[in-house]
């Protein structure tokens, strides 16, 4: 619609926003009218109309098998459009049109904003299945007539009341028609069933909907008065009402066809099962987060026990081995702590990498500057946990062996994330400016426990590759390169 309006018409951006607001609401008019709606806007030169939006009803057969959006028709070909645009009134004159052997009643509704007619809604009703209307259909049609007059007067849609039609109740979900005092004139079968779910034992017709709703809902003190007004349809609002184990969603639409409120429409939907499933998901998410939190606590307890045991050991080699185990357990605990704060099993790994770098830096005997460049992005938990251990081992190895005498130096961790394809990769480089690798060193065969852990996790669990090489430039130390497949989300 944006492209068509800007290309063919002289409407301003604020006019376009009004049309968007109208289109977000007009499924309601289409369903109440049992009719197709096509929005026609005059072109910049005033010689033609362009159709910028179309809506088919959920309550009846369509009048258009083809998509009408983008069609251009010259002025004069459709007299009802001309009359509605020029005179600013709803035009219903004329005999039904025949389209593919189907009789169609055509009406035109001017779309007014701040006293100006921006365009015309062509309302097209398929008359092939016309029969004696029921009370429900008469209520629908009367409500549609009231809304059409409000559109023609510029009082509908309601400014500042953008509606999410996917989440709001629709006509078929349940409808209640109120008079000006908030008393129920008509309640559709679905609407009545929704109130029975709240605990209503009688009919709704003749009852004050606001007071009845407040009585069915649990007492909430001062909120009751607001609920009474909302359910009475005094203002365009949405809310949910819970009672007797049921939950219904209400949307009130005041009807002011001639500027004065004559009543209201209340659309409602039984969302009991939907809210129950949402609560189950929330409970499940909370349980998962609690599990991660407890795993983190248990790992920290294990780390504390290992640390305590290390302090009691006389052997320096055994003490160092236990301290390494403490750091390995700590890296896993960091991942679980991050997962305990998320709603899903995905983590922002940059934060984890920074905490691992800070944790491992504490063991450095000298003054070594550790820093990170680039972004790891969001990773699944099944990738984040082994990767945190790999990063811990690589950094620990660099700090212990690159600067054995406590020299000053630097270690840089860089991450380069591929594109958002499903087969994207994460390239991690850990480079130090230490003493470098000894002659003849083979990272793929080295027996060091830390390197064995890295090889096993990278190649076996992460499905990636691992390499460790001497940097050829003098004083550039060692470079470790990890190439890991990851999901496409950055």
């Amino acid at each position: 619609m944006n492209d068509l309006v800007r290309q063919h018409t002289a409407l301003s951006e604020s006019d376009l926003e009004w049309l968007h607001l109208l289109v977000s609401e007009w499924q309601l008019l289409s369903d109440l009218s049992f009719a197709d709606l096509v929005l026609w806007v005059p072109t910049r030169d005033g010689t033609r109309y362009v159709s910028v939006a179309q809506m088919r009803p959920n309550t009846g057969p369509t009048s258009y098998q083809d998509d009408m959006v983008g069609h251009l028709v010259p002025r004069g070909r459709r007299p009802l459009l001309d009359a509605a645009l020029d005179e600013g009134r709803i035009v219903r004159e004329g005999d039904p049109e025949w389209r593919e052997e189907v009789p169609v009643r055509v009406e035109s509704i001017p779309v007014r904003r701040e006293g100006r007619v921006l365009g015309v809604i062509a309302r097209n009703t398929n008359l092939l299945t016309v029969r004696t209307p029921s009370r429900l259909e008469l209520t629908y049609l009367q409500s549609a007539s009231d809304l059409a007059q409000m559109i023609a007067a510029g009082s509908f849609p309601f400014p500042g009341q953008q509606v999410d039609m996917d989440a709001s109740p629709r006509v078929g979900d349940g409808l209640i028609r109120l008079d000006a005092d908030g008393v129920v004139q008509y309640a559709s079968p679905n609407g009545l069933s929704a109130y029975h779910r709240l605990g209503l034992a009688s009919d709704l017709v003749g009852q004050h909907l606001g007071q009845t709703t407040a009585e069915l809902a649990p007492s909430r003190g001062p909120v009751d008065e607001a609920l009474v007004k909302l359910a009475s349809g005094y203002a365009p609002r949405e809310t949910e009402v819970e009672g007797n184990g049921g939950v219904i969603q209400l949307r009130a639409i005041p009807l002011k066809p001639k500027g004065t409120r004559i009543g209201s429409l209340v659309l409602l939907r039984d969302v009991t099962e939907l809210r129950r499933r949402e609560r189950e998901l929330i409970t499940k998410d909370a349980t998962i987060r609690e599990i991660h939190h407890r795993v983190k606590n248990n790992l920290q307890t294990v780390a504390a026990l290992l640390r305590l045991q290390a302090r009691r050991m006389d052997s320096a080699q055994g003490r160092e081995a236990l301290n390494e185990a403490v750091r390995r357990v700590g890296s896993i605990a960091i991942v679980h702590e991050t997962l305990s704060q998320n709603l899903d099993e995905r983590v922002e790994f940059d934060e984890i990498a920074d905490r691992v770098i800070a944790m491992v830096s504490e063991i450095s005997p000298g003054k070594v500057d550790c820093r990170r460049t680039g972004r790891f992005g969001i990773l699944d938990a099944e990738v984040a946990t082994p990767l945190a251990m790999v990063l811990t081992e690589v950094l620990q190895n660099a700090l212990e062996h690159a600067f054995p005498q406590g020299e000053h130096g630097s270690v840089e961790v860089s991450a380069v994330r591929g594109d958002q394809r499903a087969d994207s990769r994460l390239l991690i480089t850990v480079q130090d400016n230490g003493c470098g690798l000894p002659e003849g060193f083979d990272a793929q065969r080295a027996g060091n426990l830390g390197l064995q852990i890295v090889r096993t996790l990278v190649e076996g669990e992460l499905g990636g590759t691992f390499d460790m090489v001497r940097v050829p430039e003098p004083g550039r130390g060692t470079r470790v390169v990890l190439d890991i497949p990851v999901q496409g989300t950055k």
Side-chain angles (χ1 to χ4, degrees):
M1 186 168 72
N2 288 346
D3 294 339
L4 290 171
V5 169
R6 289 166 181 158
Q7 178 182 355
H8 295 285
T9 77
L11 296 182
S12 65
E13 289 298 316
S14 58
D15 292 335
L16 178 57
E17 286 300 317
W18 182 262
L19 295 185
H20 274 293
L21 189 60
L22 172 66
V23 169
S24 72
E25 291 272 28
W26 71 344
Q27 180 72 64
L28 174 63
L29 177 63
S30 178
D31 290 344
L32 290 173
S33 304
F34 308 97
D36 291 78
L37 305 178
V38 180
L39 178 57
W40 297 92
V41 180
T43 57
R44 190 173 288 104
D45 58 10
T47 62
R48 295 180 295 175
Y49 298 96
V50 57
S51 59
V52 298
Q54 179 179 359
M55 179 58 66
R56 292 183 172 90
N58 294 317
T59 53
T62 183
S63 302
Y64 289 108
Q65 299 300 324
D66 299 326
D67 189 358
M68 294 295 296
V69 175
H71 283 213
L72 289 163
V73 297
R75 185 178 171 89
R77 178 174 294 179
R78 300 195 176 185
L80 297 185
L81 293 182
D82 298 339
L85 183 68
D86 296 339
E87 301 173 22
R89 64 180 180 88
I90 299 175
V91 182
R92 295 189 175 93
E93 298 87 358
D95 296 327
E97 298 180 2
W98 287 84
R99 300 175 187 165
E100 299 179 356
E101 300 183 354
V102 175
V104 177
R105 181 174 65 240
V106 181
E107 304 166 89
S108 295
I109 305 167
V111 177
R112 192 183 304 273
R113 174 179 180 265
E114 296 180 351
R116 297 179 299 112
V117 178
L118 307 182
V120 179
I121 295 175
R123 181 164 56 177
N124 303 271
T125 306
N126 187 324
L127 300 178
L128 194 61
T129 58
V130 169
R131 53 185 173 77
T132 303
S134 64
R135 177 73 187 281
L136 180 144
E137 291 167 331
L138 289 174
T139 303
Y140 278 19
L141 293 173
Q142 180 58 54
S143 302
S145 176
D146 294 335
L147 284 178
Q149 293 182 56
M150 292 170 65
I151 293 174
S155 57
F156 187 83
F158 303 109
Q161 293 290 325
Q162 187 78 31
V163 175
D164 182 2
M165 292 306 298
D166 292 332
S168 293
R170 299 198 176 195
V171 169
D173 295 327
L175 177 143
I176 297 174
R177 173 84 185 220
L178 309 178
D179 64 14
D181 297 323
V183 176
V184 178
Q185 293 180 313
Y186 175 79
S188 71
N190 284 346
L192 185 58
S193 296
Y195 266 82
H196 285 166
R197 188 70 177 264
L198 290 181
L200 181 70
S202 61
D203 195 0
L204 268 175
V205 176
Q207 297 195 41
H208 190 280
L209 187 66
Q211 296 175 358
T212 300
T213 304
E215 291 170 0
L216 294 172
S219 178
R220 298 172 185 168
V223 181
D224 284 343
E225 184 178 351
L227 180 60
V228 170
K229 290 185 177 181
L230 188 149
S232 300
Y234 289 105
R237 293 288 187 274
E238 286 193 34
T239 192
E240 286 188 3
V241 179
E242 184 171 356
N244 195 41
V247 184
I248 63 172
Q249 185 180 15
L250 296 179
R251 182 189 176 198
I253 304 171
L255 297 177
K256 304 177 181 179
K258 297 182 180 179
T260 303
R261 193 174 72 87
I262 63 169
S264 306
L265 278 183
V266 176
L267 303 180
L268 62 160
R269 177 173 58 172
D270 185 348
V271 293
T272 305
E273 292 303 314
L274 178 63
R275 296 296 175 260
R276 182 185 62 81
R277 289 195 296 269
E278 288 178 351
R279 288 166 185 162
E280 288 179 350
L281 289 174
I282 291 173
T283 302
K284 180 181 177 182
D285 290 339
T287 302
I288 292 173
R289 291 199 299 272
E290 178 63 20
I291 289 173
H292 284 301
H293 181 72
R294 294 190 181 189
V295 170
K296 182 263 296 183
N297 289 343
N298 291 338
L299 288 173
Q300 288 180 337
T301 301
V302 171
L305 292 173
L306 291 173
R307 195 178 296 111
L308 182 63
Q309 184 67 37
R311 293 195 190 105
R312 294 175 174 268
M313 292 200 69
D314 297 328
S315 168
Q317 185 177 3
R319 189 163 49 248
E320 181 56 31
L322 286 176
N323 286 332
E324 288 182 2
V326 168
R327 288 188 285 273
R328 288 164 185 151
V329 172
S331 65
I332 302 174
I334 290 173
V335 176
H336 283 282
E337 182 179 4
T338 306
L339 287 168
S340 70
Q341 300 168 0
N342 292 344
L343 293 177
D344 55 16
E345 293 290 290
R346 299 171 69 80
V347 295
E348 177 63 63
F349 196 80
D350 295 319
E351 178 186 350
I352 294 175
D354 291 340
R355 294 180 62 180
V356 167
I357 292 171
M359 178 183 68
V360 178
S361 297
E362 295 177 357
I363 71 167
S364 175
K367 186 177 180 181
V368 180
D369 175 30
C370 293
R371 63 183 183 275
R372 173 180 62 87
T373 61
R375 291 191 67 248
F376 289 85
I378 299 174
L379 298 177
D380 291 335
E382 60 186 12
V383 174
T385 301
L387 183 56
M389 284 199 65
V390 168
L391 190 59
T392 301
E393 296 298 331
V394 172
L395 286 171
Q396 187 169 294
N397 189 73
L399 292 175
E400 287 183 356
H401 300 290
F403 314 100
Q405 304 301 322
E407 303 94 332
H408 290 195
S410 65
V411 178
E412 180 178 339
V413 180
S414 73
V416 178
R417 189 73 179 263
D419 57 26
Q420 297 189 28
R421 297 176 302 173
D423 60 347
S424 65
R425 306 188 74 82
L426 175 61
L427 184 65
I428 305 168
T429 304
V430 181
Q431 182 166 322
D432 64 68
N433 62 351
C435 62
L437 296 172
E439 292 294 334
F441 180 84
D442 185 356
Q444 302 301 324
R445 296 184 179 181
N448 177 283
L449 176 60
L451 291 182
Q452 289 180 11
I453 292 174
V454 170
R455 285 198 301 269
T456 300
L457 292 178
V458 171
E459 297 174 359
E461 193 161 340
L462 295 174
T465 60
F466 158 71
D467 197 13
M468 176 183 285
V469 297
R470 175 190 287 271
V471 180
E473 297 87 350
R476 295 298 293 172
T478 304
R479 179 187 298 136
V480 176
V481 180
L482 309 171
D483 188 357
I484 300 170
V486 294
Q487 294 293 329
T489 304
K490 290 187 177 181

